[in-house]
């Protein structure tokens, strides 16, 4: 049988890291087994579901590269199907109409509470003869009264729940709208889902859903209930811990590879390996190896992985992601080097793409002022001679190559009988505006001869003014 998994978010907010990890595990299980992955939008809660949230979820999935083979299916488009099954269940007796009023249910609950009993429907309408059609009713599932539901969860192990603990679940409300647990069952069945991977907050729904599946004669999928993600302070991960929306990580300068690698290790391991390419994740991932315990989010580790991927991935690919940040920071790229070359030059130094974009600005745009501290330190009177000499030598270059630039810096230092730093540092501040950059010859190569010349003149003028004032 082909493995088929699904990710079934409710579109009530953005795609958060917890949801993304569930989606990743579900996707990996499908990919690892040459199976299929379905995306289903559980939007039956009409009041809380929004189109923006749907779009945000799709955007997050696409950005992460968690491609789906079927869907997105929207539950709100499947009401006819749900109603068809409800009618069938009413006809074959696996469901029944319940006419109990709110008031009666209220009294029933109070009595149960007073006696210290577990609150559940008392089955009053289970065996009633059908009544006139104008009386309001809900439809309840006829849960078995005896026996138990047993399932082997890939994460939590064997779970057994006695049917006595379970209610006759409402599957359609008075207004005829089918309920959440029921829609999930019909969907998992219709979509041929063989393994349900979801958050452990749904574990209590599983026995109810299994009973309905059994009543429908549907196959029972396997289950894997994934534990929660906690913040680094041990509390449930929330906005207070910083970014939790997947797209916020994009905005903050993370690569999808880094986030995926981070998320796969957050609750799953394969020996002590930390860095996994997507192919390795697919090769090694097993649901049975998911941790039972909740995992704590560790931003430092995510940054470490991001740095790793900025350095390790093909610069051309990194540049595609960097471009988003260049646009976001409104860096005018109409003049300047290929972005790929900038990635190669700066990748050793950047923790995030946001930082990388910030520190690449001088390759594309002229700056108004030198960094104050750097100018104070390096654009002093003593720099005038090296700067003027290097300026002349650079202007004479007929070939603008890294080697030639390097030679000019070296020759200037030799001629003036000073250390390379005495030439290099003022020159660096002159052409980049700041005291830090990748190797100076490479930096200048990328900035270009004409631009370097212009900036050097400006620096010479700056130093001369300072000396005279
Ligand atoms: N829609 C549910 C949620 O977003 C998931 C339900 C399921 O996976 O069965 O939490």
């Amino acid at each position: 049988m082909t493995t088929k998994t699904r990710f079934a978010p409710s579109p009530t907010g953005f795609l958060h890291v917890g949801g993304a990890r569930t989606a990743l595990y579900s996707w990996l299980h499908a990919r690892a087994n040459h199976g299929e992955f379905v995306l289903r939008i559980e939007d039956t809660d009409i009041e809380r579901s929004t189109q923006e949230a749907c779009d945000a979820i799709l955007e997050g999935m696409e950005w992460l590269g968690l491609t789906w083979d079927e869907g997105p299916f929207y539950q709100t488009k499947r009401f006819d199907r749900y109603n068809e099954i409800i009618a069938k269940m009413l006809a074959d007796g696996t469901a029944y109409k319940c006419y109990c009023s709110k008031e009666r249910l209220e009294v029933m609950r109070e009595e149960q509470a007073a006696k210290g009993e577990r609150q559940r429907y008392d089955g009053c309408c289970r065996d009633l003869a059908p009544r006139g059609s104008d009386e309001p009713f809900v439809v309840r599932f006829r849960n078995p009264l005896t026996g138990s539901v047993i399932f082997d969860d890939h994460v939590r192990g064997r779970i057994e729940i006695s049917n006595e603990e379970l209610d006759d679940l409402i599957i359609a409300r008075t207004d005829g709208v089918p309920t959440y647990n029921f829609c999930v069952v019909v969907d998992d069945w219709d979509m041929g889902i063989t393994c349900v991977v979801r958050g452990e907050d749904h574990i209590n729904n599983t026995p109810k859903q299994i009973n309905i599946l059994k009543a429908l004669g549907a196959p029972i999928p396997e289950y894997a209930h994934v534990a929660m993600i906690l913040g680094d302070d041990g509390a449930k991960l929330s906005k207070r811990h910083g970014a939790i929306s997947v797209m916020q990580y994009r905005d903050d300068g993370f690569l999808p590879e880094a986030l995926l690698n981070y998320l796969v290790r957050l609750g799953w391991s394969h020996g002590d390996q930390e860095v996994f390419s997507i192919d390795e994740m697919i090769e090694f991932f097993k649901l049975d190896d998911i941790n039972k315990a909740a995992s704590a989010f560790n931003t430092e580790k995510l940054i470490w992985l991001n740095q790793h991927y900025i350095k390790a991935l093909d610069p051309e690919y990194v540049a595609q992601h960097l471009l988003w940040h260049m646009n976001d920071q409104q860096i005018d790229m109409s003049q300047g080097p290929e972005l790929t070359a900038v990635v190669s030059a700066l990748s050793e130094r950047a923790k995030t793409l946001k930082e990388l974009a910030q520190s690449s600005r001088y390759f594309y745009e002229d700056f108004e002022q030198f960094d104050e501290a750097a100018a104070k330190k390096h654009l002093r009177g003593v720099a005038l001679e090296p700067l003027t000499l290097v300026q002349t030598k650079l202007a004479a270059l007929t070939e603008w190559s890294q080697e030639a630039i390097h030679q000019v810096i070296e020759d200037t230092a030799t001629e003036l009988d000073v250390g390379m730093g005495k030439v290099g540092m003022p020159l660096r501040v002159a052409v980049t505006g700041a005291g830090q950059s990748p190797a100076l010859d490479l930096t200048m190569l990328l900035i270009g001869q004409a631009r370097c010349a212009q900036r050097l003149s400006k620096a010479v003028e700056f130093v001369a003014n300072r000396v005279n004032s």
Side-chain angles (χ1 to χ4, degrees), residues 6-12 16 19 22 40-43 57 75 180-181 184-185 188 196-199 201-202 205-206 209 223 225:
R6 55 26 168 222
F7 177 51
S10 304
T12 53
H16 56 82
T22 304
R40 179 168 86 218
I41 305 290
E42 302 203 322
D43 55 350
I57 290 167
Q75 287 189 323
Y180 168 71
N181 269 303
V184 170
V185 165
D188 284 341
V196 170
V197 181
R198 62 184 170 200
D201 47 332
H202 287 284
N205 290 330
T206 306
Q209 294 180 4
Y223 291 91
H225 288 91

Side-chain angles (χ1 to χ4, degrees), residues 150-338:
I150 302 173
F151 63 101
D152 286 303
D153 191 90
H154 278 283
V155 183
R156 319 274 309 192
R158 195 173 183 79
I159 293 175
E160 178 167 1
I161 303 287
S162 161
N163 274 320
E164 283 176 21
E165 307 253 324
L166 301 174
D167 236 335
D168 279 356
L169 190 82
I170 296 176
I171 58 174
R173 286 188 274 265
T174 326
D175 57 7
V177 175
T179 58
Y180 168 71
N181 269 303
F182 178 72
C183 299
V184 170
V185 165
V186 177
D187 288 350
D188 284 341
W189 179 30
D190 281 354
M191 294 168 197
I193 303 302
T194 61
C195 186
V196 170
V197 181
R198 62 184 170 200
E200 74 177 0
D201 47 332
H202 287 284
I203 204 156
N204 290 336
N205 290 330
T206 306
K208 304 172 198 171
Q209 294 180 4
I210 290 179
N211 274 339
I212 304 177
L213 284 162
K214 280 187 187 159
L216 292 170
I220 312 299
E222 295 172 37
Y223 291 91
H225 288 91
V226 183
M228 280 189 313
I229 301 181
L230 307 175
D232 31 23
D233 57 356
K236 190 169 186 251
L237 191 68
S238 71
K239 271 194 192 149
R240 169 166 78 72
H241 296 100
I244 57 167
S245 147
V246 163
M247 295 320 285
Q248 185 64 48
Y249 283 99
R250 189 263 323 254
D251 298 356
D252 290 348
F254 290 88
L255 281 164
E257 285 73 9
L259 190 56
L260 288 173
N261 192 151
Y262 180 72
L263 290 177
V264 82
R265 280 285 293 107
L266 193 62
W268 171 84
S269 56
H270 177 72
D272 51 14
Q273 186 170 339
E274 288 293 354
V275 177
F276 292 87
S277 67
I278 309 282
D279 286 345
E280 283 175 319
M281 289 182 203
I282 295 173
E283 188 181 341
F284 300 133
F285 184 78
K286 285 198 184 60
L287 290 175
D288 290 341
D289 293 336
I290 297 176
N291 276 342
K292 224 189 269 181
S295 335
F297 204 86
N298 176 344
T299 309
E300 286 303 312
K301 193 168 158 192
L302 173 60
I303 293 175
W304 177 79
L305 281 166
N306 201 45
Q307 236 169 335
H308 165 80
Y309 281 105
I310 290 177
K311 276 189 278 192
L313 290 174
D314 181 359
E316 208 163 309
Y317 172 80
V318 176
Q320 288 167 19
H321 284 277
L322 180 62
L323 185 58
W324 187 89
H325 293 276
M326 301 299 279
N327 293 331
D328 190 51
Q329 292 178 32
Q330 298 178 342
I331 298 176
D332 175 4
M333 292 173 62
S334 54
Q335 281 178 54
E338 289 280 336

Side-chain angles (χ1 to χ4, degrees), residues 109-122:
R109 278 192 212 106
E110 276 165 18
E111 283 175 5
Q112 285 171 343
K115 285 192 230 157
E117 289 173 4
R118 215 176 49 79
Q119 300 201 355
R120 61 190 300 226
Y121 181 60
D122 61 3

Side-chain angles (χ1 to χ4, degrees), residues 392-439:
T392 317
K393 287 186 186 294
L394 287 170
L397 279 184
T398 48
E399 181 209 334
W400 191 249
S401 70
Q402 206 171 325
E403 297 71 31
I405 299 167
H406 185 83
Q407 198 57 52
V408 163
I409 302 171
E410 216 176 275
D411 290 351
T412 310
T414 316
E415 216 171 302
L416 298 177
D417 196 19
V418 295
M420 288 275 277
K422 292 269 184 291
V423 183
M425 281 317 294
L427 183 54
R428 172 170 281 122
V429 181
V431 296
T432 69
Q436 280 174 344
S437 79

